[in-house]
Amino acid sequence: MKTALTAIMLAAAALGVTATTAQEAKNIVLVHGAFADESSWDKVAAILSAKGFNVTQVANPLTSLADDVAATKAALDAQDGPTVLVAHSWGGVVIGEAGADEKVKSLVYVSAFAPDKGETLNALLSGGAPSEGVKAIRPNEQGGLIFDPASFPKLFAGDLPKEEAEAMAARQLPSNPANFDAAADVAAWHDKPNFYVVTTQDQVIPADAQRFFAGRIGATTTEIDASHSGLVSQAEAVAKVIEDAAR
């Protein structure tokens, strides 16, 4: 009888290990922020791909919150199992909506907004004086919002070589001004494990604002000495947090 009971207990333990292992995510979906494009994730994606993860960089168009959420949901639909959903900056609003998908194992915010249901970026930004980076946002000739290219190297990517920062500025996509007034319908962070990377030298979303978001969502928080472009300048550190979220 003892032998049979021991065998059952061992089998149950083995099944428990298998179930836990099965929940480890091999899929990573990366959502870029405003004033950027999907190439902003290139370095992080290369690191994670080399470690065996299946990485998707979403080309969210920044034309509306609904469009960006649709692009992210399409990427999630293409995944075949547990997935870590990651966002930079404005992308945090997007993953708060798309992250309710049952495939999403955890959420990772990198220098990102994390609104609660009903909140808008304009409401969040009105809580204090605008940062130097926010002051550098202006409309282009078509009325889309861009980050002033001349200010981009210093304020958006101050820890990158100037040529690399200028190339990022040239690739940026304009954002629909309506995005800043789009209210979040879902806040998936209420129901998912959360991770947050605070960039302490950020001149766009100040570090204290990021700490507020991280604390409110109960995130496991990592701080790095980086600009708003920490996903590029410190790709290894950011990739490590994403890998931890996948485990």
Side-chain angles (χ1 to χ4, degrees):
M1 184 69 176
K2 277 187 177 181
T3 302
L5 183 58
T6 300
I8 291 171
M9 291 174 66
L10 288 172
L15 286 171
V17 170
T18 301
T20 301
T21 302
Q23 291 305 306
E24 292 184 358
K26 287 297 183 184
N27 304 311
I28 311 292
V29 172
L30 305 170
V31 181
H32 67 79
F35 321 119
D37 68 3
E38 67 272 23
S39 69
S40 59
W41 283 113
D42 280 355
K43 291 183 181 181
V44 169
I47 293 166
L48 293 170
S49 295
K51 294 187 176 185
F53 290 100
N54 172 43
V55 183
T56 301
Q57 293 165 255
V58 180
N60 45 309
L62 305 180
T63 46
S64 72
L65 175 57
D67 290 346
D68 286 2
V69 171
T72 302
K73 285 185 174 180
L76 290 171
D77 288 344
Q79 308 307 310
D80 61 357
T83 301
V84 176
L85 185 56
V86 188
H88 177 240
S89 197
W90 152 259
V93 183
V94 179
I95 69 168
E97 300 271 320
D101 190 292
E102 62 181 10
K103 289 181 183 177
V104 176
K105 171 187 173 67
S106 56
L107 302 171
V108 180
Y109 293 80
V110 181
S111 326
F113 293 100
D116 205 345
K117 186 175 180 179
E119 291 182 338
T120 68
L121 287 196
N122 273 336
L124 292 170
L125 291 169
S126 67
S131 68
E132 291 303 309
V134 168
K135 291 177 185 177
I137 298 169
R138 61 171 177 79
N140 64 8
E141 292 179 356
Q142 293 74 39
L145 294 179
I146 63 170
F147 201 100
D148 178 48
S151 302
F152 194 107
K154 178 182 178 182
L155 298 178
F156 197 99
D159 53 353
L160 287 176
K162 187 177 180 182
E163 287 187 1
E164 187 173 5
E166 289 174 341
M168 285 183 66
R171 290 194 301 268
Q172 68 172 299
L173 298 174
S175 292
N176 184 344
N179 291 350
F180 285 74
D181 285 314
D185 290 327
V186 182
W189 51 262
H190 282 288
D191 303 308
K192 304 282 183 176
N194 303 298
F195 294 76
Y196 201 108
V197 179
V198 173
T199 43
T200 61
Q201 300 304 315
D202 202 311
Q203 296 194 64
V204 180
I205 306 177
D208 282 346
Q210 295 180 44
R211 293 181 184 115
F212 164 77
F213 290 129
R216 185 169 69 166
I217 69 177
T220 299
T221 303
T222 300
E223 297 202 0
I224 60 175
D225 185 22
S227 72
H228 196 60
S229 295
L231 73 168
V232 181
S233 64
Q234 294 205 35
E236 288 278 0
V238 172
K240 175 63 168 60
V241 173
I242 297 170
E243 186 177 0
D244 289 345
R247 304 303 184 200

